[in-house]
Amino acid sequence: MNITRENVDALNAVVKVDIAKEDYSDKVEKILIDYRKTANIPGFRKGHVPMGMVKKQYGKAVLVDEVNKLLQDALNKYLTEEKLDVLGQPLPKPQDDIDWDAEGFSFEFELGLAPEFEVELKSKDTITQYNIIADDKMIDEQIERIQKQYGKLVPQDAVEKDSEITGAYKNEEKEIDNTVTLTLDKFKGEATEKQFIGAKVGDVVVLKTKGLYEDNHDLMHALKLGHDDIQDLDIEVSFTITEVNKRELADLDQELFDKLFGEGGVTSVTELKAKIKEDAEKQFVQQADQKLLNDITEYLVENTKFDLPAEFLTKWMQTAGEKEIDAEQAKEEYNKSEKSLRYQLIEGKLITENNVQVTMDDIKEHAREMIKAQMAQFGQLNPSDEELDGIAARVLSNQDEARRISEQLISQKLLALYKEKANLKVKELSYENFVKEVYGDK
């Protein structure tokens, strides 16, 4: 067997594999001998079928199968030994006229080669690293939500600004008949609020759906309609009041603290505020980290310049999926995935150059901590090591789950690398201002 490579350019090559008779003949002969022992052909006893008949019936199929196996094994071995960094998979050049009666065969494969490039993490311009804090306003609002949640409802004679109103929305034409509990702050504008103030149980308020709520999702919930149904919906609905209540806030006392955090976990309003701030900011770290990861990814893709074997990859995509696609579809698919492919190559280089590794011990420990946190949510605060190890082993026996955890850990290690080496500027702001700055004022 002889394998040669011709580099077309820096990103494309053609590998030629020449297979001689001596490469496959012994194996083909052995398989045919085994076939002869078990062949069941009418007119002959098992094991006594003439070899010529066996070769005539099975010879070519066995030959084709063995040559293809030999070809794939040789090609994979060659790519490994030559340490060729290929993109996609080798593409066989079409051969419609293979003479399987010949003693030797030649096959050619197109290769797409990974480009050579350098990654510079230290950008000229700074990238913002957000430090999101829970400000006093957020903490006070959270405390009020807690007090409302654990408070009690007191019936009222008439609707006031802070009432909780239960009733049914109705419209015969649209077959709307839905009972909800609402508060006046959800409505858009003061006109609707004024229609409710002073109303009593049994009163009917007639409302127009257009511009009724600040958020269309609230209208969907109120009328129990789908997203498409509420688009440009402009009808009248009636709301018949069945209950009017006021929610008295729960006292900020030890009884409430114990309900929230367990006996003695929090013993004062000061400690409650500190706990809310701590828990909120832990969650904010994840959002800030994801934003930083997205921004650095965007920076790396936009500023790390290299060419790709686009023509080869487009051709490869035609047959890479479950269903074969045409050239136009493949081109569209390549354009969609090019940015992702570029980042995969950049990420791979960063992982190699910075020796970013995830061990099996890392994966096991992460699984244990994940399971421990989940168990704590259900009140199991002190599981034994034996119990954690057993559950972790079951989780990691699922290869998809083990791969997901590994990728998550790699992402965490890369994020730590970015924080260490990228040109970052820390910006501290409240969660409300973070949302406005990053996602727009919603």
Side-chain angles (χ1 to χ4, degrees):
M1 183 183 299
N2 186 40
I3 303 181
T4 56
R5 180 175 84 249
E6 178 187 350
N7 290 329
V8 178
D9 54 38
L11 299 173
N12 295 274
V14 175
V15 169
K16 184 180 180 184
V17 183
D18 294 319
I19 298 177
K21 183 176 182 180
E22 56 267 24
D23 295 322
Y24 61 81
S25 57
D26 288 348
K27 190 166 282 189
V28 170
E29 190 70 21
K30 182 179 182 304
I31 291 173
L32 290 174
I33 289 171
D34 290 339
Y35 271 30
R36 186 186 181 208
K37 293 175 183 177
T38 58
N40 189 7
I41 297 177
F44 297 95
R45 286 184 296 146
K46 188 177 290 188
H48 290 77
V49 178
M51 194 61 180
M53 186 172 288
V54 172
K55 287 183 177 181
K56 184 177 180 180
Q57 187 159 346
Y58 301 109
K60 187 166 288 187
V62 171
L63 171 66
V64 171
D65 190 42
E66 287 306 309
V67 167
N68 280 325
K69 286 180 184 176
L70 190 63
L71 182 61
Q72 289 303 319
D73 290 344
L75 186 59
N76 291 335
K77 185 179 179 184
Y78 175 80
L79 296 177
T80 302
E81 290 177 349
E82 293 292 311
K83 296 179 180 178
L84 290 177
D85 193 359
V86 299
L87 301 179
Q89 295 293 331
L91 284 177
K93 283 195 168 185
Q95 286 180 274
D96 298 326
D97 56 349
I98 299 176
D99 181 7
W100 291 104
D101 293 323
E103 294 193 344
F105 311 97
S106 290
F107 302 92
E108 290 185 337
F109 293 85
E110 296 178 62
L111 302 183
L113 305 177
E116 293 289 335
F117 60 92
E118 297 297 324
V119 182
E120 180 55 63
L121 269 177
K122 189 72 78 173
S123 59
K124 291 180 182 178
D125 298 325
T126 57
I127 296 173
T128 302
Q129 178 184 359
Y130 290 98
N131 179 27
I132 309 170
I133 61 169
D135 58 7
D136 290 342
K137 178 185 175 187
M138 168 176 266
I139 293 169
D140 290 341
E141 287 174 350
Q142 178 62 13
I143 288 175
E144 186 175 346
R145 280 194 290 271
I146 290 170
Q147 286 182 280
K148 284 182 178 180
Q149 181 182 347
Y150 288 89
K152 61 181 180 180
L153 289 175
V154 178
Q156 289 181 291
D157 293 330
V159 175
E160 296 177 8
K161 194 176 182 69
D162 57 354
S163 296
E164 291 187 14
I165 310 152
T166 301
Y169 279 109
K170 292 187 180 182
N171 176 284
E172 289 186 10
E173 182 185 349
K174 295 289 184 179
E175 298 182 347
I176 295 169
D177 187 354
N178 189 43
T179 299
V180 295
T181 297
L182 56 84
T183 53
L184 299 180
D185 59 313
K186 293 288 187 181
F187 290 120
K188 188 175 182 178
E190 295 181 0
T192 304
E193 184 179 299
K194 288 178 180 177
Q195 285 183 263
F196 277 91
I197 297 294
K200 300 179 179 180
V201 171
D203 286 352
V204 178
V205 181
V206 178
L207 305 164
K208 282 192 171 291
T209 57
K210 187 174 182 179
L212 183 59
Y213 284 95
E214 291 281 0
D215 189 334
N216 272 349
H217 290 92
D218 288 328
L219 184 61
M220 287 168 57
H221 171 72
L223 305 184
K224 207 172 183 180
L225 294 176
H227 185 273
D228 293 339
D229 296 323
I230 64 161
Q231 292 302 312
D232 302 318
L233 183 67
D234 187 8
I235 60 172
E236 281 191 349
V237 290
S238 64
F239 185 88
T240 303
I241 299 173
T242 56
E243 281 185 52
V244 179
N245 296 298
K246 183 173 183 178
R247 188 171 290 273
E248 286 190 356
L249 300 183
D251 292 331
L252 295 175
D253 55 17
Q254 194 58 49
E255 182 182 354
L256 178 61
F257 301 155
D258 290 346
K259 284 180 182 177
L260 295 171
F261 304 105
E263 191 172 345
V266 166
T267 58
S268 68
V269 173
T270 302
E271 288 183 15
L272 172 65
K273 289 184 175 182
K275 180 66 174 170
I276 290 172
K277 182 178 177 67
E278 178 188 357
D279 290 348
E281 290 179 355
K282 279 182 184 176
Q283 295 179 22
F284 297 159
V285 167
Q286 295 179 359
Q287 294 186 56
D289 282 351
Q290 187 59 56
K291 172 62 178 167
L292 179 60
L293 194 60
N294 292 344
D295 288 346
I296 292 181
T297 298
E298 191 70 26
Y299 161 77
L300 290 172
V301 170
E302 292 299 323
N303 293 278
T304 307
K305 304 299 183 183
F306 55 83
D307 292 326
L308 289 170
E311 187 176 339
F312 168 84
L313 289 170
T314 302
K315 192 188 298 184
W316 170 70
M317 284 183 172
Q318 287 186 250
T319 56
E322 292 182 6
K323 292 182 179 180
E324 192 167 330
I325 57 179
D326 62 32
E328 192 62 35
Q329 290 172 314
K331 186 176 181 180
E332 186 179 336
E333 193 65 31
Y334 173 76
N335 290 335
K336 285 180 185 176
S337 59
E338 182 185 356
K339 186 177 283 191
S340 173
L341 175 58
R342 286 182 177 277
Y343 182 67
Q344 286 176 29
L345 291 170
I346 294 167
E347 184 182 71
K349 193 170 185 68
L350 287 170
I351 288 170
T352 301
E353 289 183 346
N354 295 278
N355 196 29
V356 176
Q357 295 182 356
V358 172
T359 66
M360 196 61 211
D361 286 342
D362 292 334
I363 295 173
K364 287 178 181 176
E365 184 58 31
H366 184 83
R368 280 170 52 93
E369 290 302 315
M370 180 180 69
I371 293 160
K372 196 172 181 180
Q374 289 173 348
M375 294 175 76
Q377 292 178 357
F378 295 97
Q380 295 174 268
L381 302 178
N382 295 299
S384 66
D385 288 340
E386 185 179 353
E387 189 176 10
L388 288 173
D389 288 340
I391 299 173
R394 288 197 295 275
V395 169
L396 297 178
S397 65
N398 182 323
Q399 290 186 352
D400 290 338
E401 186 64 19
R403 189 185 307 110
R404 187 190 67 79
I405 292 174
S406 176
E407 290 171 353
Q408 193 175 50
L409 289 173
I410 286 285
S411 183
Q412 288 177 8
K413 287 176 181 280
L414 281 172
L415 185 63
L417 176 71
Y418 298 155
K419 287 181 178 180
E420 177 189 348
K421 296 191 174 183
N423 186 12
L424 305 180
K425 174 186 69 176
V426 177
K427 184 172 185 178
E428 185 173 279
L429 71 181
S430 68
Y431 180 72
E432 182 179 359
N433 288 333
F434 169 76
V435 171
K436 287 179 181 178
E437 182 165 319
V438 173
Y439 305 108
D441 192 357
K442 295 182 179 181

